[in-house]
Amino acid sequence: LVPTEKKIGNFLPKLKTGAAKTVGAPVDDEYMEMRASQHKAMKNAASVIKNVQDKWDEKFKRLYPTVEKYMMDDAEYAIVVAGFHSSTGKAAVNRLREQGEKAGLLRIRVLRPFPEDEIKEALQQVKKAGVVDQSVSPGATGQLYTETRPLCNAVRFTSIGRHISEKDFIDMFSKLKTEGKERFWVM
């Protein structure tokens, strides 16, 4: 069951209000201190996220892990995706499993701080993973691929502003198994 709005409202901390502030960019030495502080805060955010996830699951019996593993236990090939495309990807995995393929899907739910350890653990047994990027830095790669590539044998799939169909996902799995190319555009 979906928790009621009231139950969720009681779970969330009370909103603190105050005078609005505008803060300009620090200059000179303050800039590096500010960036180091931001980095430390982001690293510390991982434990805060985990703590809130545990409390949420305890209260509502609904677990939303940082990384969702779908049929990954014995997967030989996997697609790594973030966002709404995961539902379509799961349908493709289901169809491939019906055909005897050992396909899996890894959904990244939190991009920052990047859940490197969870991703590495989830992909350790796969032969190859396809990483779906929905953005790209022209002349380079997308963010999800850049972060995931050092953790596994990865191939990049790029889809910008296009709905990815179940057939597209099935084609991705086929390319993972048969081709050594490093980038495919999903068009």
Side-chain angles (χ1 to χ4, degrees):
L1 290 169
V2 177
T4 65
E5 188 174 332
K6 183 177 180 179
K7 283 185 179 181
I8 293 171
N10 290 336
F11 176 82
L12 296 172
K14 299 298 176 211
L15 188 62
K16 296 176 186 175
T17 58
K21 296 179 184 179
T22 302
V23 180
V27 293
D28 300 329
D29 294 338
E30 294 173 359
Y31 180 76
M32 289 309 295
E33 290 172 9
M34 186 258 322
R35 295 297 288 178
S37 178
Q38 282 180 326
H39 182 72
K40 183 178 178 183
M42 188 56 66
K43 289 292 189 181
N44 291 337
S47 62
V48 174
I49 291 168
K50 174 82 171 95
N51 186 26
V52 172
Q53 286 172 333
D54 291 345
K55 288 179 181 177
W56 178 270
D57 185 38
E58 182 180 314
K59 183 165 180 89
F60 299 109
K61 308 296 182 229
R62 296 170 69 93
L63 182 61
Y64 293 100
T66 304
V67 173
E68 177 189 2
K69 297 182 260 187
Y70 187 75
M71 296 197 180
M72 289 295 297
D73 289 341
D74 65 342
E76 293 179 358
Y77 297 92
I79 296 293
V80 180
V81 66
F84 73 96
H85 290 304
S86 63
S87 296
T88 309
K90 289 176 187 178
V93 167
N94 291 340
R95 182 174 295 176
L96 289 167
R97 286 285 177 152
E98 289 169 1
Q99 298 169 7
E101 299 288 338
K102 291 188 175 182
L105 183 131
L106 189 65
R107 178 182 179 194
I108 310 303
R109 286 199 162 137
V110 175
L111 194 59
R112 291 288 179 257
F114 194 69
E116 184 175 311
D117 292 339
E118 294 92 329
I119 294 169
K120 191 173 191 176
E121 182 272 323
L123 297 175
Q124 68 185 352
Q125 86 284 353
V126 301
K127 294 178 182 176
K128 199 181 289 183
V131 180
V132 178
D133 268 314
Q134 297 174 59
S135 64
V136 66
S137 177
T141 65
Q143 181 180 13
L144 191 56
Y145 177 77
T146 300
E147 300 279 353
T148 305
R149 184 177 182 202
L151 308 176
C152 64
N153 182 12
V155 172
R156 58 190 151 169
F157 293 97
T158 304
S159 172
I160 302 174
R162 180 181 182 278
H163 173 73
I164 302 174
S165 69
E166 188 176 323
K167 181 187 177 310
D168 291 328
F169 275 104
I170 290 170
D171 289 346
M172 287 181 212
F173 278 104
S174 176
K175 287 177 181 175
L176 281 177
K177 291 176 65 175
T178 60
E179 298 187 37
K181 281 182 154 183
E182 195 172 293
R183 168 180 261 152
F184 297 96
W185 289 87
V186 182
M187 296 188 206

